[in-house]
Amino acid sequence: MNAAERFLLDVPDLWREVDLSGEELAAVRAKALAATSDPREKARINDMVRQGREVARAARRHGALLATGTATLYDDGLFLAYGMVFAVSTPQGSELTLPVLSAQLGAGGDAAPKDRVVTAVELPHAGTAARVTGTETVRLTADVETRLLTMHTMVPVPERPGDFLAVTLASPNLPLRAEVYDLFDAITSTFRFVSADGGAAPEGTAPGR
């Protein structure tokens, strides 16, 4: 078992562990709906909350090592964002190159998002990682789709060739594109591995072999 089996990811104060029961999200929805009389705004709030519920379900289905998010009502509207960390292993005999990563990451179906960008980034505490950003179309139900700003960052696990931790962040607040990506980059930049005797309690734990 590798010593780097734990990790830390700092998130803003208003973010917390995803409430898979949906009770907290329902309370925020009620508060947001009470704050507006605009039918369009009410419909947008309901759509965003529906997206939040689906993201929570996806975290549970895919066994996220860490699931966090925020549903915060500001003076100018509701802000929703979600973060998850998953363990990913490259199949025997394969190589996880940036083009392969671009094709595999995301929930947008067969076609890659038109604004998809694939880059290598340098994380201050974890070294070089691969990153994919883009506006993905996610199917919530059989006949309902929504669009999310997404950022996926693949961090190699030290001393485990072919093993990665994928830090995925998403938000339905499309008009805030620049601000959302700046926030996601700042959050991901705090990622670091912690040794078994590293002292600080980890936000999440990567499974050991």
Side-chain angles (χ1 to χ4, degrees), residues 24-206:
E24 183 175 343
L25 196 56
V28 172
R29 171 182 174 271
K31 185 177 179 180
L33 289 175
T36 181
S37 59
D38 183 352
R40 285 190 174 183
E41 181 64 12
K42 287 180 180 289
R44 191 177 75 89
I45 291 169
N46 283 325
D47 284 343
M48 292 175 68
V49 169
R50 189 181 305 117
Q51 295 161 21
R53 288 172 179 156
E54 179 56 31
V55 169
R57 293 190 190 103
R60 185 174 56 207
R61 284 196 307 268
H62 294 289
L65 304 176
L66 173 68
T68 183
T70 185
T72 306
L73 182 61
Y74 294 98
D75 291 339
D76 55 354
L78 179 65
F79 178 68
L80 290 181
Y82 322 97
M84 287 171 276
V85 179
F86 301 93
V88 178
S89 294
T90 307
Q92 189 82 22
S94 300
E95 184 179 359
L96 193 63
T97 62
L98 286 178
V100 171
L101 176 65
S102 178
Q104 291 184 353
L105 281 179
D110 297 331
K114 293 181 180 180
D115 62 347
R116 174 167 286 187
V117 176
V118 185
T119 59
V121 296
E122 194 70 23
L123 302 181
H125 310 291
T128 303
R131 173 171 292 170
V132 178
T133 59
T135 306
E136 299 180 9
T137 300
V138 179
R139 184 172 296 279
L140 298 181
T141 66
D143 57 353
V144 176
E145 293 181 338
T146 191
R147 300 177 72 213
L148 298 172
L149 297 170
T150 61
M151 177 182 288
H152 309 281
T153 305
M154 298 286 289
V155 186
V157 178
E159 301 178 21
R160 293 188 194 165
D163 285 356
F164 300 83
L165 292 188
V167 182
T168 292
L169 294 154
S171 171
N173 290 81
L174 303 185
L176 302 177
R177 179 187 181 91
E179 294 88 343
V180 165
Y181 280 141
D182 283 347
L183 173 63
F184 287 176
D185 177 66
I187 291 173
T188 307
S189 293
T190 70
F191 182 95
R192 64 268 197 199
F193 290 100
V194 180
S195 62
D197 57 353
E203 289 288 344
T205 302

